PDB file of all heavy atoms in Angstrom:
ATOM      1  N   PRO A  38     125.027  25.271 -16.850  1.00 95.00           N
ATOM      2  CA  PRO A  38     126.092  25.952 -16.110  1.00 95.00           C
ATOM      3  C   PRO A  38     127.499  25.427 -16.421  1.00 95.00           C
ATOM      4  O   PRO A  38     128.476  26.157 -16.256  1.00 95.00           O
ATOM      5  CB  PRO A  38     125.743  25.679 -14.643  1.00 95.00           C
ATOM      6  CG  PRO A  38     124.867  24.478 -14.668  1.00 95.00           C
ATOM      7  CD  PRO A  38     124.157  24.492 -15.987  1.00 95.00           C
ATOM      8  N   TRP A  72     111.616 -13.529 -20.099  1.00 86.00           N
ATOM      9  CA  TRP A  72     113.015 -13.506 -20.550  1.00 86.00           C
ATOM     10  C   TRP A  72     113.129 -12.981 -21.975  1.00 86.00           C
ATOM     11  O   TRP A  72     114.156 -12.457 -22.351  1.00 86.00           O
ATOM     12  CB  TRP A  72     113.706 -14.860 -20.400  1.00 86.00           C
ATOM     13  CG  TRP A  72     113.016 -16.005 -21.069  1.00 86.00           C
ATOM     14  CD1 TRP A  72     113.076 -16.339 -22.394  1.00 86.00           C
ATOM     15  CD2 TRP A  72     112.166 -16.965 -20.464  1.00 86.00           C
ATOM     16  NE1 TRP A  72     112.309 -17.444 -22.642  1.00 86.00           N
ATOM     17  CE2 TRP A  72     111.733 -17.849 -21.458  1.00 86.00           C
ATOM     18  CE3 TRP A  72     111.718 -17.164 -19.155  1.00 86.00           C
ATOM     19  CZ2 TRP A  72     110.879 -18.914 -21.214  1.00 86.00           C
ATOM     20  CZ3 TRP A  72     110.874 -18.222 -18.911  1.00 86.00           C
ATOM     21  CH2 TRP A  72     110.469 -19.077 -19.919  1.00 86.00           C
ATOM     22  N   GLY A  74     111.409 -10.468 -22.947  1.00 83.00           N
ATOM     23  CA  GLY A  74     111.447  -9.033 -22.673  1.00 83.00           C
ATOM     24  C   GLY A  74     112.831  -8.581 -22.245  1.00 83.00           C
ATOM     25  O   GLY A  74     113.288  -7.508 -22.631  1.00 83.00           O
ATOM     26  N   ALA A  77     114.965  -8.436 -25.259  1.00 87.00           N
ATOM     27  CA  ALA A  77     114.646  -7.216 -26.005  1.00 87.00           C
ATOM     28  C   ALA A  77     115.307  -5.994 -25.361  1.00 87.00           C
ATOM     29  O   ALA A  77     115.780  -5.101 -26.070  1.00 87.00           O
ATOM     30  CB  ALA A  77     113.131  -7.023 -26.087  1.00 87.00           C
ATOM     31  N   GLU A  81     117.975  -3.618 -27.277  1.00 91.00           N
ATOM     32  CA  GLU A  81     117.829  -2.161 -27.402  1.00 91.00           C
ATOM     33  C   GLU A  81     119.087  -1.438 -26.931  1.00 91.00           C
ATOM     34  O   GLU A  81     119.513  -0.459 -27.532  1.00 91.00           O
ATOM     35  CB  GLU A  81     116.613  -1.655 -26.619  1.00 91.00           C
ATOM     36  CG  GLU A  81     115.288  -2.001 -27.241  1.00 91.00           C
ATOM     37  CD  GLU A  81     115.050  -1.394 -28.614  1.00 91.00           C
ATOM     38  OE1 GLU A  81     115.690  -0.379 -28.970  1.00 91.00           O
ATOM     39  OE2 GLU A  81     114.219  -1.939 -29.349  1.00 91.00           O
ATOM     40  N   VAL A  89     123.181   5.468 -31.667  1.00 93.00           N
ATOM     41  CA  VAL A  89     122.913   6.765 -31.037  1.00 93.00           C
ATOM     42  C   VAL A  89     124.243   7.475 -30.754  1.00 93.00           C
ATOM     43  O   VAL A  89     125.054   6.982 -29.966  1.00 93.00           O
ATOM     44  CB  VAL A  89     122.111   6.580 -29.726  1.00 93.00           C
ATOM     45  CG1 VAL A  89     121.927   7.909 -29.009  1.00 93.00           C
ATOM     46  CG2 VAL A  89     120.758   5.928 -30.021  1.00 93.00           C
ATOM     47  N   HIS A  96     127.100   5.968 -22.239  1.00 79.00           N
ATOM     48  CA  HIS A  96     126.153   4.971 -21.732  1.00 79.00           C
ATOM     49  C   HIS A  96     125.035   5.724 -21.019  1.00 79.00           C
ATOM     50  O   HIS A  96     124.421   6.595 -21.600  1.00 79.00           O
ATOM     51  CB  HIS A  96     126.841   3.947 -20.835  1.00 79.00           C
ATOM     52  CG  HIS A  96     128.071   3.373 -21.451  1.00 79.00           C
ATOM     53  ND1 HIS A  96     128.016   2.378 -22.396  1.00 79.00           N
ATOM     54  CD2 HIS A  96     129.378   3.660 -21.293  1.00 79.00           C
ATOM     55  CE1 HIS A  96     129.240   2.072 -22.787  1.00 79.00           C
ATOM     56  NE2 HIS A  96     130.086   2.847 -22.133  1.00 79.00           N
ATOM     57  N   ARG A 110     120.760   6.527  -5.853  1.00 87.00           N
ATOM     58  CA  ARG A 110     121.123   5.240  -6.444  1.00 87.00           C
ATOM     59  C   ARG A 110     122.039   5.460  -7.633  1.00 87.00           C
ATOM     60  O   ARG A 110     121.945   6.475  -8.320  1.00 87.00           O
ATOM     61  CB  ARG A 110     119.862   4.498  -6.924  1.00 87.00           C
ATOM     62  CG  ARG A 110     118.875   4.212  -5.815  1.00 87.00           C
ATOM     63  CD  ARG A 110     117.627   3.545  -6.318  1.00 87.00           C
ATOM     64  NE  ARG A 110     116.955   4.388  -7.309  1.00 87.00           N
ATOM     65  CZ  ARG A 110     116.110   3.937  -8.222  1.00 87.00           C
ATOM     66  NH1 ARG A 110     115.836   2.659  -8.305  1.00 87.00           N
ATOM     67  NH2 ARG A 110     115.530   4.755  -9.065  1.00 87.00           N
ATOM     68  N   ASN A 113     123.125   2.398 -12.948  1.00 85.00           N
ATOM     69  CA  ASN A 113     122.678   1.052 -13.303  1.00 85.00           C
ATOM     70  C   ASN A 113     121.551   0.572 -12.393  1.00 85.00           C
ATOM     71  O   ASN A 113     120.675  -0.172 -12.830  1.00 85.00           O
ATOM     72  CB  ASN A 113     123.850   0.062 -13.286  1.00 85.00           C
ATOM     73  CG  ASN A 113     124.662   0.132 -14.561  1.00 85.00           C
ATOM     74  OD1 ASN A 113     124.258   0.724 -15.562  1.00 85.00           O
ATOM     75  ND2 ASN A 113     125.832  -0.471 -14.543  1.00 85.00           N
ATOM     76  N   ARG A 137     114.528  -7.366  -7.585  1.00 92.00           N
ATOM     77  CA  ARG A 137     115.263  -6.105  -7.690  1.00 92.00           C
ATOM     78  C   ARG A 137     116.774  -6.344  -7.583  1.00 92.00           C
ATOM     79  O   ARG A 137     117.546  -5.786  -8.342  1.00 92.00           O
ATOM     80  CB  ARG A 137     114.805  -5.122  -6.606  1.00 92.00           C
ATOM     81  CG  ARG A 137     113.322  -4.804  -6.646  1.00 92.00           C
ATOM     82  CD  ARG A 137     112.980  -3.911  -7.779  1.00 92.00           C
ATOM     83  NE  ARG A 137     111.532  -3.778  -7.901  1.00 92.00           N
ATOM     84  CZ  ARG A 137     110.947  -2.847  -8.602  1.00 92.00           C
ATOM     85  NH1 ARG A 137     111.675  -1.964  -9.245  1.00 92.00           N
ATOM     86  NH2 ARG A 137     109.652  -2.800  -8.705  1.00 92.00           N
ATOM     87  N   ILE A 142     122.178  -7.050 -10.442  1.00 96.00           N
ATOM     88  CA  ILE A 142     123.328  -7.868 -10.815  1.00 96.00           C
ATOM     89  C   ILE A 142     123.336  -8.079 -12.328  1.00 96.00           C
ATOM     90  O   ILE A 142     124.373  -7.950 -12.988  1.00 96.00           O
ATOM     91  CB  ILE A 142     123.306  -9.231 -10.085  1.00 96.00           C
ATOM     92  CG1 ILE A 142     123.414  -9.032  -8.569  1.00 96.00           C
ATOM     93  CG2 ILE A 142     124.387 -10.160 -10.614  1.00 96.00           C
ATOM     94  CD1 ILE A 142     124.690  -8.402  -8.088  1.00 96.00           C
ATOM     95  N   GLU A 145     124.414  -4.861 -14.157  1.00 92.00           N
ATOM     96  CA  GLU A 145     125.863  -4.640 -14.003  1.00 92.00           C
ATOM     97  C   GLU A 145     126.661  -5.584 -14.903  1.00 92.00           C
ATOM     98  O   GLU A 145     127.600  -5.162 -15.589  1.00 92.00           O
ATOM     99  CB  GLU A 145     126.292  -4.831 -12.546  1.00 92.00           C
ATOM    100  CG  GLU A 145     125.833  -3.747 -11.607  1.00 92.00           C
ATOM    101  CD  GLU A 145     126.506  -2.405 -11.830  1.00 92.00           C
ATOM    102  OE1 GLU A 145     127.604  -2.337 -12.429  1.00 92.00           O
ATOM    103  OE2 GLU A 145     125.922  -1.404 -11.390  1.00 92.00           O
ATOM    104  N   ALA A 149     128.839  -4.474 -18.286  1.00 92.00           N
ATOM    105  CA  ALA A 149     130.277  -4.745 -18.396  1.00 92.00           C
ATOM    106  C   ALA A 149     130.596  -5.566 -19.650  1.00 92.00           C
ATOM    107  O   ALA A 149     131.558  -5.265 -20.367  1.00 92.00           O
ATOM    108  CB  ALA A 149     130.773  -5.482 -17.149  1.00 92.00           C
TER     109      ALA A 149
END
Side-chain angles (χ1 to χ4, degrees):
W72 55 81
E81 287 297 338
V89 175
H96 311 280
R110 300 177 301 157
N113 279 347
R137 302 286 172 164
I142 297 297
E145 289 291 339

